[in-house]
Amino acid sequence: MAAGSTKTPRIETACFLAVLGIAAALRFWRLEDNGFGSTYYAAAVRSMTEGARLFFYNAFDPAGFLSIDKPPVAFWIQAAFVALFGYSGWMLHLPQALAGVASVAILRGLVRRAFGPTAGLLAALLLATTPIAVAVDRSNNADSWLVLFLLLAASAALRGSGLSLVASMALLGVAFNVKMLAAFACGPALLAGWLIASPRGWSRRLGWMTAAAAVLVAVSLSWSIAYDLTPRDSRPYVSSTSGNSMLELVVVHNGLQRFDRHLLPTSRLPFETYDAVPVGPLRLAQPMLAGQAGWFLPLAVLGLVLACRRDSGHASLALWSVWALTYGIVYSAAGGIFHAYYLSTMAPPLAALAGVSCVEVWRRSLVYLALGLALCAAWQIYLAGAAQGWTSAWPAVPLVALLAAGASQWRG
């Protein structure tokens, strides 16, 4: 018995290292082939390394005339790497690749804590191989750091203490300074998870929620307010604004213009440069988007339904499901500036729920196993068929039946 109990953790550790190896390989392999990535961000990072003022104000150019139209945290990190190790395309992309591997590790720990080691490993593997997550982690965009800080905030929220909620909101504030209002869509999920995990009465909960809200506002707006309070002739002009205000950038360009294309300046229209999938409740079911982060969507939904019947893990389920649902609603309604790579923020909750589903389906019965395989097969055929231009879904019928029958026989 003692030998077996020692062997099991070693196997789990080996599997976890293998998953991290897969995540690292997908993110680091020939990373230099991406060149300088987004030259807009690459130029800004180069400028930010040339002086403390340029660094703090997220300057786009060495003269400090313009700032870029994003908050600074992700680019501060890139600039720090460049300052330490030299300026190159590899070094610009390295921080995001590291953040992506770290996110895989954090997700494994979060799912493992509530649903066991197998679910944790499967969730980590799914996140490690999610197409849009890999693509974003191989770029110099800020989304990799947004996901990492949201996962850190989730880890704090699920601990259920008052101080952990404050820490979670502080981390959400840091995430705000990675990508502004895009971070706040995760706020309801963090609060839902904490409320279920917290054993306190409502009076104490409200007290901690008030303190956490104050911390969230202070951390989120600290840099933007400091920026706007600086005399205008002593700082760069705020790019993508008409009033030279960082708070305007938060509310308009990185807020309202993401939802209504008619608020975009006429110089930005038409916007064929954006991923203009039609807005609506089924937007994320379009193959172009579903294939990026939602290729295991049926598993995630089935996992949520089955795991709700468990006696534990409800706080985690609430967090992951609200996270996925909130971002799904936001992206379905975003009719202004929208890119497919935004869906990287949906990869962690969907991977978590799908990992839980794999374990729950295996433990339940042949019927659930067959159902899970059938749903996934049908969904994959839909995605692949759309990419191949199929006009009929009839090939899915025999394949789904064959997979379901084979699974039942093998499981039995």
Side-chain angles (χ1 to χ4, degrees), residues 117-137:
T118 303
L121 286 170
L122 290 171
L125 179 61
L126 289 171
L127 179 59
T129 56
T130 296
I132 200 64
V134 174
V136 164
D137 295 341

Side-chain angles (χ1 to χ4, degrees), residues 5 24 66 72 77-78 80 89 115 118 125 136 155 208 221 240 259 293 354 390 393 397:
S5 61
L66 281 175
I77 296 171
Q78 291 181 30
F115 300 102
T118 303
L125 179 61
V136 164
S155 180
W208 281 112
L221 297 181
S240 298
F259 292 91
W390 296 347
V397 178

Side-chain angles (χ1 to χ4, degrees), residues 55 81 103 189 225 241 284 297 331 345 385:
F55 178 86
F81 271 73
S103 294
I225 291 176
T241 68
L284 300 187
L297 180 62
Y331 294 148
T345 53

Side-chain angles (χ1 to χ4, degrees), residues 341-357:
Y341 69 81
Y342 294 172
L343 298 178
S344 60
T345 53
M346 295 186 67
L350 292 177
L353 292 172
V356 173
S357 177

Side-chain angles (χ1 to χ4, degrees), residues 380-398:
Q380 293 301 321
I381 290 172
Y382 159 69
L383 296 180
Q388 297 299 321
W390 296 347
T391 58
S392 173
W394 71 264
V397 178

Side-chain angles (χ1 to χ4, degrees), residues 24-111:
L26 290 173
R27 286 155 178 79
F28 287 102
W29 178 256
R30 301 186 66 172
L31 188 58
E32 67 278 2
D33 289 356
N34 291 339
F36 289 95
S38 169
T39 53
Y40 175 62
Y41 297 141
V45 171
R46 180 67 176 266
S47 299
M48 291 165 64
T49 60
E50 297 189 11
R53 173 179 171 274
L54 300 172
F55 178 86
F56 180 79
Y57 290 111
N58 227 18
F60 169 72
D61 59 292
F65 180 72
L66 281 175
S67 74
I68 57 176
D69 58 2
K70 294 292 185 294
V73 168
F75 304 107
W76 282 348
I77 296 171
Q78 291 181 30
F81 271 73
V82 167
L84 289 172
F85 304 110
Y87 184 79
S88 66
W90 162 264
M91 199 52 60
L92 289 171
H93 291 84
L94 177 61
Q96 289 70 247
L98 292 171
V101 175
S103 294
V104 170
I106 294 170
L107 182 67
R108 177 254 184 176
L110 288 175
V111 177

Side-chain angles (χ1 to χ4, degrees), residues 149-158 165 167-173 175 183-197 216 315 318-320 322-323 326:
F149 282 113
L150 291 181
L151 285 170
L152 290 172
S155 180
L158 289 174
L165 178 65
S168 178
M169 292 300 104
L171 288 163
L172 183 60
F184 278 4
C186 195
L190 300 175
L191 185 58
W194 180 81
L195 285 172
I196 296 176
L216 174 62
L319 186 146
W320 299 126
V322 175
W323 181 336
T326 305

Side-chain angles (χ1 to χ4, degrees), residues 6 20 146 148 156 220 261 266 355 384:
T6 303
L20 287 184
L146 173 62
L148 178 62
S220 298
R261 64 176 295 184
T266 54

